[in-house]
Structures are given as C-alpha cells and as structure tokens.
Amino acid sequence: PWDRYARLRSGDPVHRHAEPGGPGFWAVMRHADIQYVSRRPEVFSSAAGGVMVPDPTEEQLSRNRLMMLFQDPPEHTATRAVVNRGFTPRMIGKLEEHIRDICRELVDAALARGTVDFVADIAAPLPLYVICELLGAPAEDREKVFTWSNALIGADDPDFATQDTEPIFELINYAVALGAQRRAEPRDDIVSKLVASGEDGSGMDDLALGVFVVLLAVAGNETTRNAASGGLQAFFDHPEQWERLLADRSLLRTLPDEVVRWVSPVVTMRRTTLTETELGGKTIPAGDKVVLYYPSGNRDADVFPDADVFDIGRDPNPHIGFGGGGPHFCLGAHLARMEVRVLFEVLAERAPGIAPAGTARRLRSNFVNSIKEMPVRLRM
Ligand code: HEM
C-alpha cells in the first residue's frame, strides 16, 4: 500500500473514501493531521462510533464503552487515572528481568529444536506471558489465558475469526477471582494497585477489572506479537541492520521505536466527529467517520528523513505507532518497547545466525498488520 499512501499524503491527505452501500469515511494520511485528531477528543470522539472502521451495533457500542479505549473525557480521564497507578515506570521496570527470563526460555527452547515458527513459538507467547506476569497470574495459568486471549482477537481472517463470546467471560471471571484475592491479600503487583481503593474510594470494582483485563488481552498481545515478528522480518529484509546490531548493542536503545515505526502493528484507529470541523482544508460534517492511518503517518517525509529506510539508530523518532498523542496514547508503550528491546537483545546474544526457513504468511486484516506464520532457523 506504500505507493498509495504516499500519493494520498501529497495529493489528498484527508481523503473522502466512499464505501459502496456504506456511509464512507475520511482517511487521514499525514503525521501532523493524525496528531491533530488524536489530541482533540472533544471534536473527534472515540465513544460515539467506536474505534474500528465498521459501524458497531448499539449493543456492541454500549458494551465497548466500558473499556477506556472507547471512552471520551471526562469518563476516560477517570478510568485512565486509576489504571495509571498500576502502570508506573517502577511497576513496569520491575518486569524487565522477568521479561529477559521469558525471552531466554523461549529462545533456548527454539534453539534446541532448530527450526520453529517464530510467531507461534516466540512472538505470540512472549506478550501473553508478560501480561500474566503483569497481572501476577501464576505460570500454570498461562496456557488458559493464552487460549482465551487468542479466541478473543477476532481478526477478520477465517483461520482466527470466532463468534464465540465464551472466552471473554472466562477471562473476566478469571480476572475477578484474581482481583478478589488481591483485595484480601494485596501484593506489590499491578492488580493489587488497581483494586486498592484510593483516597476517594476509586479502586476498580469487579466489572472494571474484568473489562480492563480483556482490554489488555486485546491491546497488548497481537500488537506486540506483530512488532516482534514484523521486526524480525525487517531484519531479514535489511541484513545490514542485523549486522549493525550484532556489532553495536547500544542500538538496542533506539531499535524498538524504529521497529514500531516500520511495522506499525496497528493500522488504523477511528474517531467520529461530534461537530462540523475543518481538517486539511476539508470540511467534515458532524457524525462522520475519521480514520487515522498510522503506517502512512510513520512514513511521512515531512517528519522522517529517509522515511522509507529502516534505520535502527533513528533518533529522534517521533513515530505514531503507539497513537498520535492525546488521552488514548498507548498505555503499554513502555512495556512494549521493553519487550521488543529484550527480545532482540536475547536473539542477538543467543541466536545471531537466525535466518528464514520458508515463506512467512500474512494475516488478512485491515486493522492489524500481522504475520500469521514465520518459519525460521535459529543458530548461534
Ligand atoms: C492504545 C499501539 C502494546 C495497552 C493503543 C493505541 C495504539 C496502540 C495505536 C491507540 C492510541 C490512540 O487511539 O491514540 C500499540 C502497539 C503496541 C502496543 C503498536 C506494541 C508494539 C500494548 C501493550 C499494552 C497495551 C503491551 C498493555 C499491556 C493499550 C491500552 C490502550 C492502548 C490499554 C488504550 C489506552 C486508552 O484508551 O487510554 N495502543 N500498543 N498496548 N494500548 Fe497499546
């Protein structure tokens, strides 16, 4: 799609896309416009029409609004304030050694087998195990949580799509039980911070916690999985960058942001206009869909010198792969960066000769940029 994105950026950066039989939408292609929209929730609402391009039913909409991704201020501000208590730099920093252990465990198991599917054997379990760590869930529950989360990520791919709502309830019940335990016996973990009532009594109740864990499973798994697999693919396509990393590990500092810029694991988020507004010289009526194209903004030559070059030393790197700023900026950005950094650190250390062992298969989806299967050979 890159040529098309580039043509729209220069020729028609806020493009009216007519859908046959549907209401159509505005495609926002430039970095600056995506930031502008992201930072004005009072005009560009996440609650009014949800954040996916297709229109949800009223029932879906009211259910989704329980999640902060689908809320507007001031509701969103209140939810996010509670959640931020758990996602402090200290709480996330505490996970680094665990993440390193998880990466070593996964990479060593893959090394022992030689040829593996990088997605199924490394990129998919990593974020899932990390979310289990984050919640303080015991290791023996990982597989359970993994199965529910996978079923939840209903991508529009026939291999994955599911109408089954059962896993959502399983996951919610699981989270509620975990929360009850931590209310009774608080630990130094995130769930304990979330359920503890603040001075204003604002701790999460059962429903809020259950819904939040569902959001974590949806927002934290597939995105990080795709950053990892897409990042490795980028190294396969640009072997000189892999050599560069092997020669200079200080590049691990800038690598994660370049991987996220390059891969742009989330393709779009959508907003709905609450009032008539101007954007990029166009007048957008109230009630219209506005769709932010992160991969396009991440290749915008007005912001990135050599935007079409994968450069793991890129600095500064004001990419919008975690969102264009504003209230919904990715809650897991620090954590995701850490996962990507530690994974490539461990691969460089233990499997520097990693190489493709067949053709990768991509997932059919216009919401996430995803690799479904990626055979690789791990070597020292
Ligand atoms: C929101 C990307 C990893 C949790 C978002 C948004 C994007 C995004 C684009 C929407 C921003 C907006 O609308 O302005 C990514 C990418 C990731 C990643 C590319 C991996 C490379 C994670 C992880 C977690 C997480 C690991 C949690 C453990 C969330 C949550 C939100 C969010 C909870 C909603 C925040 C809100 O509405 O206030 N992410 N994400 N994400 N992300 Fe991430």
Side-chain angles (χ1 to χ4, degrees):
W2 301 110
D3 289 349
R4 176 136 201 272
Y5 287 166
R7 270 200 313 277
L8 284 173
R9 269 196 312 272
S10 56
D12 191 15
V14 179
H15 169 73
R16 172 85 201 152
H17 178 83
E19 278 171 319
F25 60 82
W26 300 87
V28 183
M29 308 308 288
R30 279 188 187 158
H31 188 282
D33 292 335
I34 293 172
Q35 284 191 328
Y36 181 90
V37 170
S38 303
R39 293 167 189 198
R40 279 167 189 75
E42 64 287 1
V43 178
F44 302 97
S45 162
S46 299
V51 300
M52 317 281 270
V53 180
D55 276 320
T57 61
E58 220 12 81
E59 190 201 334
Q60 286 168 331
L61 207 56
S62 57
R63 195 175 60 215
N64 286 345
R65 282 201 202 102
L66 293 168
M67 290 192 225
M68 65 181 163
L69 187 61
F70 299 85
Q71 293 172 349
D72 290 335
E75 235 192 321
H76 174 268
T77 321
T79 318
R80 181 102 187 199
V82 174
V83 166
N84 282 344
R85 285 195 220 150
F87 277 72
T88 57
R90 185 184 76 87
M91 292 306 287
I92 299 303
K94 269 178 48 159
L95 293 173
E96 178 159 349
E97 275 317 305
H98 292 282
I99 292 178
R100 192 164 285 111
D101 289 343
I102 293 170
C103 289
R104 287 185 174 150
E105 187 189 313
L106 294 169
V107 169
D108 286 351
L111 265 171
R113 289 170 52 202
T115 302
V116 299
D117 174 5
F118 187 75
V119 177
D121 296 314
I122 297 179
L126 169 63
L128 194 273
Y129 292 177
V130 170
I131 291 178
C132 286
E133 284 292 331
L134 189 84
L135 296 174
E140 64 266 23
D141 290 350
R142 280 173 176 177
E143 290 307 317
K144 241 176 8 192
V145 181
F146 189 58
T147 312
W148 298 328
S149 313
N150 261 346
L152 247 172
I153 308 167
D156 26 348
D157 183 281
D159 284 7
F160 282 82
T162 169
Q163 298 301 315
D164 186 6
T165 50
E166 198 51 37
I168 303 187
F169 294 110
E170 299 263 21
L171 191 59
I172 292 181
N173 287 337
Y174 182 80
V176 167
L178 207 63
Q181 246 174 30
R182 296 302 192 273
R183 254 182 229 110
E185 288 173 54
R187 298 189 194 167
D188 191 24
D189 66 13
I190 290 185
V191 174
S192 304
K193 299 272 182 295
L194 297 180
V195 298
S197 53
E199 278 164 25
D200 50 354
S202 59
M204 282 188 173
D205 62 14
D206 287 353
L207 180 64
L209 179 66
V211 166
F212 178 62
V213 171
V214 170
L215 177 60
L216 280 190
V218 176
N221 269 314
E222 215 185 355
T223 46
T224 313
R225 169 195 312 186
N226 294 326
S229 56
L232 184 63
Q233 186 62 52
F235 279 116
F236 288 164
D237 296 340
H238 304 86
E240 79 291 349
Q241 294 295 313
W242 185 243
E243 291 304 321
R244 214 179 144 199
L245 176 65
L246 294 182
D248 178 4
R249 300 302 159 83
S250 73
L251 290 162
L252 285 166
R253 184 181 64 82
T254 45
L255 175 157
D257 281 305
E258 182 65 349
V259 163
V260 173
R261 181 187 79 90
W262 189 255
V263 177
S264 294
V266 177
V267 179
T268 56
M269 283 280 164
R270 167 237 174 131
R271 303 290 192 261
T272 305
T273 46
L274 295 177
T275 53
E276 184 184 285
T277 190
E278 296 282 315
L279 186 68
K282 302 277 177 74
T283 303
I284 304 182
D288 268 20
K289 292 187 204 186
V290 175
V291 179
L292 311 175
Y293 279 78
Y294 300 123
S296 170
N298 278 338
R299 299 285 176 104
D300 191 333
D302 287 349
V303 178
F304 302 101
D306 300 319
D308 291 321
V309 174
F310 178 59
D311 168 10
I312 58 168
R314 189 180 288 278
D315 188 18
N317 191 344
H319 71 84
I320 49 175
F322 292 120
H328 293 282
F329 185 79
C330 177
L331 176 74
H334 282 305
L335 181 62
R337 283 192 192 98
M338 190 191 280
E339 291 180 54
V340 171
R341 169 167 60 75
V342 173
L343 175 62
F344 284 103
E345 172 202 305
V346 170
L347 284 172
E349 165 193 296
R350 305 204 167 193
I354 188 168
T359 321
R361 284 203 303 143
R362 302 196 79 82
L363 183 79
R364 190 157 61 86
S365 165
N366 49 19
F367 179 57
V368 285
N369 186 3
S370 182
I371 299 177
K372 189 152 60 171
E373 194 181 278
M374 191 179 183
V376 297
R377 193 162 49 249
L378 273 80
R379 289 179 303 214
M380 274 308 289

